[in-house]
Amino acid sequence: MSTDIDFYFDFSSSYSYIGQHRLRKLADEHGVTVHWKPIALGAIFKALGHMPATPDTPKGAYIWRDVERSAAEWGLPYHWPKPFPFNSIPAARVFYVLAERDQGTAVSWAIAVFEAAYGEGRDCSDPGVLGEVAASIGVDSNGLMEKTADEAVKQRLKD
């Protein structure tokens, strides 16, 4: 049996926020290695002709209540980020920039972005907010966003 889990996630997915908390706990309890892999869920939705559910539809209203209920069940703070959904591409690209240097720092980044977005309701598409998140985990944000424009970083997220 494998002791590795590939965790594909999008920073703009509220279920990813909830899931990563549970996954980290289970991985620690069972000695499992988690490989964090940001994806562009919006691109997947677009390719499938699917639009994210909005709270003004029955499906969207259910999802919004379900997310809030699930967060409460796990004892997680939850605040809908404004805007929601937000553009998660910059945060995902930063993850890959950081992962090239150190995977542990990239994972710390992911956790901090999720906390900022859903634990605090912050706009994690805003480069200023992302700079503050970087600083909160001890990463120098000077020039960090510029590195996300590198074609190799863009391609890694697409792949």
Side-chain angles (χ1 to χ4, degrees), residues 116-140:
Y118 301 99
E120 301 169 15
R122 299 179 74 191
D123 178 3
C124 286
S125 63
D126 181 324
V129 171
L130 294 178
E132 292 171 11
V133 171
S136 77
I137 62 165
V139 170
D140 181 4

Side-chain angles (χ1 to χ4, degrees), residues 57-155:
T57 64
K59 179 180 178 180
Y62 176 82
I63 289 171
W64 281 53
R65 282 192 307 273
D66 185 55
V67 165
E68 292 168 350
R69 186 175 41 240
S70 296
E73 179 181 348
W74 293 106
L76 303 175
Y78 194 86
H79 304 280
W80 286 99
K82 290 183 179 53
F84 183 81
F86 60 89
N87 178 2
S88 61
I89 299 296
R93 288 181 182 165
V94 169
F95 178 94
Y96 285 118
V97 168
L98 295 174
E100 287 181 13
R101 297 184 215 163
D102 178 67
Q103 189 66 31
T105 302
V107 171
S108 294
W109 164 260
I111 294 166
V113 170
F114 278 127
E115 293 304 320
Y118 301 99
E120 301 169 15
R122 299 179 74 191
D123 178 3
C124 286
S125 63
D126 181 324
V129 171
L130 294 178
E132 292 171 11
V133 171
S136 77
I137 62 165
V139 170
D140 181 4
S141 63
N142 194 18
L144 186 61
M145 296 310 296
E146 289 79 9
K147 291 176 183 167
T148 65
D150 181 91
E151 287 305 317
V153 172
K154 290 179 180 182
Q155 191 60 47

